[in-house]
Each structure stands twice: as C-alpha cells, then as structure tokens.
Amino acid sequence: MPEVTTPYATGTPCWIDLMAQDQQAALDFYRDLFGWQGQPGPAEFGGYAVCELNGKAAAGIGPATAPEGMPEPPTVWTSYLATTDAQATQEAIVSAGGTLLVPVVDVGELGRMLIASDPQGAVFGVWQPGEFFGAQVVNEPGALTWNELHTSDVLAATAFYGEAFGIEIEPLEGADSYWELRVGGRAVGGATLLANDPPGTPAHWLSYFSVDDVDSTVDALVRSGGTVLAPPFDMMAGRMTVVADPQGAPFAMIKPTPM
C-alpha cells in the first residue's frame, strides 16, 4: 500500500473532503464503494468524520452546515493544498487575485485551514499540518490518486498558483490541451480546459480515486444511487469515468495504466 508518513510539500494536494447534506448516507455510500471506514466525529469538530482505508486516513466527510442566514455549502469534494504557513499563504492568495471564502482557522491541534477560490472561480482548501498532515494512503484502489484543475485560463492559473504556492503548470508531453502541476520537479496533479466540460460547468478541482475495475465499480455506484456523468473510456493514463454520488458530488475513478 502506498503509505504517506511525512508532511506534503507546499502546493501538493494533501487532503480531500466532502460536506454532505446527509453525512451518514455519504459515509455508507463510500464505505460500500471504496471500503472506507468512518463515523461522525466529536462535536467540537462539527461531527467531521475521517474515513480510513485499511486503517489509514483517506478522506474526510462532514455534515454540510452554514452560519444562520447563509446558504448551505455545495455538495462537492474539496481538494486541499499543503502549506507550512496558512496565514502567509492566505495573504499570497489575496495578493494573487484569489478570493477568501473561509479565512484561516485553527482545527484544534490537528492543523490550520482556509478555503478560497482562484481568480477563475475554482474552490480549493489549504492545510497547514499540526498533528495531522493529510492523507496517509494514496494511489491505491479506494484511495485518492490525482487532483485535476478545470480552468478557463491556464495562463492565469499558472500565474496564480505559482505566486500563491510555487506550483509550476507545464504542458504534458504527448497530450493535447493537458498540463501537469509540478512541485519541486514532481508531478502532483493536472490541469485541463474548462471548454472540455459540459457547457455551463464552473471552474473546479476534480478528485480522482483509484479502483481495480472501473466498469464494475460504476455498476456498483449506479446500484447505490449514483449517476454516471461520463461513461468509462480509455485514455493515455488508463481507463476512467466521471460520476456523481447520490447527493450530487462529482468525482472521477480510474484504473491507471501500469507504469
């Protein structure tokens, strides 16, 4: 199992979570689909559940809540980028043209976080580790394996994420209109044009989960009330699909091509 035991480098996607209208239903769905184990957490953390895969933290699922008079947050997976200084990163995000949605907040002794959107509107989180550094298992069936930015302006995204996190966005050799996000010379995610999404789709980050068999997992998802947004297809990185859970949160699944 690809186990992560040390903090992620600044700019690297390090965690994902979902705020669900029905937290227990989401926990049950992803347990059946990916084998995650999780239950609502302490009230001091809003009942947030850390879901584990074979005993290692894989993702978070919390109840969707909002301050009185504010709309409920959308049911989407949020990708978190690592930092060593959340306050400094918050200032860099604003300076680079991003928008703060949730300013820096302490999460007990676990770490510090914020939520923001880039200038094109893609929402992301930022995580500064304390006792918790993020996903402890990745690139394994049932675990996160890729984070992908869908943007209307790759040049603007390159400038923003470069200034705020030091991320480099470079064309992927052999691919048409696809870019790699690189930290310290290492690929940590991807970027693609929003024009490839259905009309009206806003800029966003898409989470990919690895699976052993895309087609059979899609069948299981549909039986559990999920929706297929892009039927399984083969591409250079493997066989993949884009789907949504029963509460509408979109995500991708992929069986990577063996290296």
Side-chain angles (χ1 to χ4, degrees):
M1 175 184 292
E3 181 180 347
V4 183
T5 58
T6 57
Y8 291 80
T10 293
T12 305
C14 64
W15 187 242
I16 48 165
D17 68 15
L18 172 69
M19 297 294 108
Q21 297 292 330
D22 188 332
Q23 182 190 25
Q24 189 59 56
L27 289 169
D28 293 344
F29 172 80
Y30 288 100
R31 176 199 63 208
D32 295 343
L33 193 70
F34 293 142
W36 294 353
Q37 297 298 316
Q39 58 186 6
E44 64 182 302
F45 297 125
Y48 189 93
V50 173
C51 298
E52 296 183 343
L53 178 66
N54 297 323
K56 304 296 181 182
I61 297 179
T65 58
E68 187 174 350
M70 297 293 289
E72 296 289 348
T75 304
V76 295
W77 282 100
T78 298
S79 295
Y80 287 75
L81 305 178
T83 183
T84 56
D85 188 332
Q87 187 63 46
T89 298
Q90 174 173 286
E91 294 168 5
I93 287 169
V94 173
S95 175
T99 302
L100 287 180
L101 303 178
V102 178
V104 173
V105 61
D106 291 317
V107 186
E109 298 298 318
L110 298 176
R112 309 187 81 199
M113 63 160 284
L114 66 95
I115 304 291
S117 63
D118 67 23
Q120 284 66 53
V123 174
F124 60 93
V126 174
W127 182 253
Q128 175 188 330
E131 295 178 352
F132 181 76
F133 61 78
Q136 297 170 335
V137 56
V138 296
N139 304 330
E140 184 81 7
L144 180 70
T145 194
W146 194 244
N147 298 78
E148 185 176 80
L149 174 65
H150 291 229
T151 182
S152 59
D153 191 333
V154 174
L155 288 178
T158 301
F160 172 79
Y161 288 99
E163 181 176 342
F165 295 96
I167 296 172
E168 297 178 337
I169 302 180
E170 302 176 351
L172 176 62
E173 185 176 350
D176 183 29
S177 299
Y178 198 85
W179 294 259
E180 281 186 333
L181 277 60
R182 303 182 70 83
V183 170
R186 173 176 167 267
V188 299
T192 187
L193 292 173
L194 197 58
N196 297 326
D197 289 272
T201 302
H204 63 281
W205 282 82
L206 181 66
S207 300
Y208 282 65
F209 299 100
S210 178
V211 294
D212 279 323
D213 187 306
V214 170
D215 297 77
S216 64
T217 309
V218 164
D219 291 343
L221 174 136
V222 171
R223 289 195 300 270
S224 296
T227 304
V228 178
L229 305 178
F233 63 96
D234 295 313
M235 37 83 83
M236 65 181 296
R239 185 164 179 80
M240 66 165 288
T241 182
V242 182
V243 297
D245 70 20
Q247 298 183 59
F251 60 95
M253 299 187 295
I254 185 168
K255 179 180 174 62
T257 301
M259 298 299 289

